[in-house]
Amino acid sequence: MPEKNKAVQKMAQRVLEGYDAVHKREYQNAKKLLEPLRTFLHQETKPNVIFLSYLAIAQIGSKDVDEFLNTYEELQKYEPKNEKESAIKQRVDEMFEELMSSIEKNNEQN
């Protein structure tokens, strides 16, 4: 098997492991698996809504609020192309709203 195919297979396996880690709520591990792949799997000319959504979930799940907000902002630039993209992007939108609501409540208490 050519080296390029091995590299692509390895990257694909890492993505699947990252997505699986999100489903298992192992957010720190998911973040560690997915973040290094961001520049390969998402570019403005070739957006990847599903990848960005999983990455955002891993970031907020591991309490990396700054990176979550950066990824969320990037995600808002793109319209979902199908039902699957729409559903996962909606999930990230809800997490953003929940975060903003908890920040607002925290500010009111101080």
Side-chain angles (χ1 to χ4, degrees):
M1 184 181 294
E3 281 304 306
K4 188 176 181 190
N5 285 354
K6 278 186 181 175
V8 169
Q9 273 190 328
K10 194 173 180 181
M11 190 165 55
Q13 185 60 39
R14 187 175 178 140
V15 170
L16 292 175
E17 287 173 15
Y19 288 5
D20 191 47
V22 167
H23 288 287
K24 291 178 179 173
R25 294 189 154 101
E26 297 169 355
Y27 300 117
Q28 201 65 43
N29 186 35
K31 185 177 160 224
K32 189 175 83 181
L33 288 164
L34 297 175
E35 274 188 340
L37 302 176
R38 182 179 188 148
T39 55
F40 298 106
L41 296 177
H42 168 76
Q43 292 100 32
E44 281 194 32
T45 55
K46 290 168 67 177
N48 189 331
V49 169
I50 290 179
F51 177 80
L52 283 180
S53 297
Y54 272 96
L55 179 58
I57 293 167
Q59 290 166 333
I60 194 68
S62 60
K63 313 249 185 304
D64 190 344
V65 175
D66 289 340
E67 281 304 310
F68 168 76
L69 292 173
N70 288 336
T71 303
Y72 179 79
E73 190 177 325
E74 179 70 17
L75 188 56
Q76 295 312 301
K77 298 176 185 174
Y78 309 104
E79 281 299 314
K81 291 193 234 43
N82 55 45
E83 199 59 43
K84 187 175 182 183
E85 286 185 3
S86 190
I88 194 158
K89 187 172 184 277
Q90 177 65 38
R91 196 166 154 213
V92 175
D93 289 342
E94 289 166 4
M95 291 174 162
F96 175 79
E97 289 166 20
E98 202 173 300
L99 174 66
M100 291 299 108
S101 174
S102 67
I103 289 171
E104 199 174 295
K105 284 178 189 165
N106 191 27
N107 286 340
E108 288 171 4
Q109 291 173 354
N110 291 334

